[in-house]
Amino acid sequence: MIQTVATTPYADQKPGTSGLRKKTTVFQQPNYVENYVQSIFDSLDGFSGKTLVIGGDGRYFNREAIQKAIRIALANGFGRIVVGRGGLLSTPAASALIRSLKAYGGIILSASHNPGGPDGDFGIKYNAENGGPAPEKLTDRIFAGAQTIAVIKTLDTPDVDIDALGTTKLDGGTVEIVDPVTNYAALMRTLFDFDAIRALFASGFRMRFDAMHAITGPYAHAILEGELGAPAGTVVNGTPLPDFGGHHPDPNLTYAKALYDEMMSKDAPDFGAASDGDGDRNLIIGRGQFVTPSDSLAMLAADARLAPGYAKGLKGIARSMPTSAAADRVAAKLGVACYETPTGWKFFGNLLDAGKATICGEESAGTGSDHVREKDGLWAVLLWLNILAKRRISVAELARQHWATYGRNYYTRHDFEEVDLAAANALMDALRAQFASLPGQRFGALTVEAADDFEYHDPVDGSDTKGQGVRVMFAGGSRIVYRLSGTGTVGATLRVYIERYEPPGENLALDAQAALADLIGLSRSLAEIEQRTGRKAPSVVT
Ligand code: VG1
Ligand code: CO
């Protein structure tokens, strides 16, 4: 029943920060999914008879794409395909499953925090046997293969029933439908003190978890409300919907505004959290206290020992370059190394595999550890709960104590979404053209110390990655970083990351936008954002 189908390449199948991400309509073109999936397998070898994990975040076109991937995987020689029931697997759960099954790899159908639906976005990611996103050298190979692809191998079989647990035998192998939560929940039980968290909820601690109609709903219902005894209603928007209820499943202050407003209200619960489309991001807000993802990474690292999975301490901490240096101060105090990588989780894989880092994080609301090879939204929420259950203080008090010890890295990110691509590239080029003249220049109280384009030398495999974001660094540790998004699908998204360090002392409780006002102003003028893009204000402030 193996069929060989002739095809022609699509020129645009270049994976970005996290897999191939395009408009759903692009993926619906004839053979578009098939070409890319076949190109993935063409760039791999030695998988004959082995296991492949497949799952997605439940967005529109997920089910169709999964059927295609199953057929192509079996026709190419995989022996066993393991699929989450309903085609569902969060990104971290897929990573965990690949690792615990010792699978060859996995395919995750998701455009993560991008909107879904017929007019939204779709995506395909490949994860390797360590459970982590394909490294750059593999994504380069996949792209190269997609440029010359001529044949797709597939099966001529009807759709597999992906809604019923159990195993189906097909030509060349088996398809196994598994519960998407079971394996992941078991892993969480090994890392966290569930009894302590249960006692916290039993004491009247109130929480709101906004699953944003995305993949974490079933996980949060089962773990938070099911196992940990949080009252029913703790999890809201807990049913995954193909279009995420028409919302943008990105847990930040703009798109998770309802949660933010509730947490700032008079009758706010003690703890608020949200996760994104594919469940790898987390947003943390205490009653009356937003915690930036960069601070969350630092605070989790500082108290990680309170969770059984990290009781022996951390081997090291890693953060993406635009993430604030708050975690660096914790690493210094713990006496462990801190690594600074380009944006995207694929750069953490080597450090985690080599045992150089235990906890990693990104300013974009991604935090995770060596338990999997992806960032993990619910994991971060559970670590927060574990820490709060042990310390029995509020999020606001924990933050106050943290800043009193380490000082505070005031931080904000301003996104200018869907700007003209040529204008965005010209803006970045113009910034690079100022590298030579910027050092030494003064802007009010700010003096530029250095300006460059971030480059990363991977200490494990020796690879070099260039052009990872323009940094303008000021005396005293303040910083403005400019990057173009590698996950957007329309025009360009300009991300501007702004940071200022305030040492322990008086000024630790300011509003971040106010504390950063002069840097924010400078970030606009230095890059001529309005002149070049026509935008007076960012579309997302977080
Ligand atoms: C963004 C974030 C990055 C994150 C990536 C994938 O990338 O900045 O930190 O790893 O999304 O996250 P970019 O290139 O758009 O800035 V997700 O939750 O989409 O898997
Ligand atoms: Co995501």
Side-chain angles (χ1 to χ4, degrees), residues 399-420:
R400 201 193 59 72
Q401 291 182 15
H402 185 93
W403 296 327
T405 307
Y406 297 95
R408 177 170 179 185
N409 290 70
Y410 281 104
Y411 191 86
T412 190
R413 191 186 80 217
H414 289 198
D415 290 340
F416 299 80
E417 296 179 319
E418 301 187 14
V419 301
D420 180 71

Side-chain angles (χ1 to χ4, degrees), residues 489-513:
T489 58
V490 183
T493 291
L494 170 67
R495 302 199 196 281
V496 185
Y497 311 82
I498 298 154
E499 172 177 7
R500 175 167 83 76
Y501 178 63
E502 177 70 36
E506 299 287 283
N507 299 314
L508 296 170
L510 306 175
D511 169 73
Q513 301 302 314

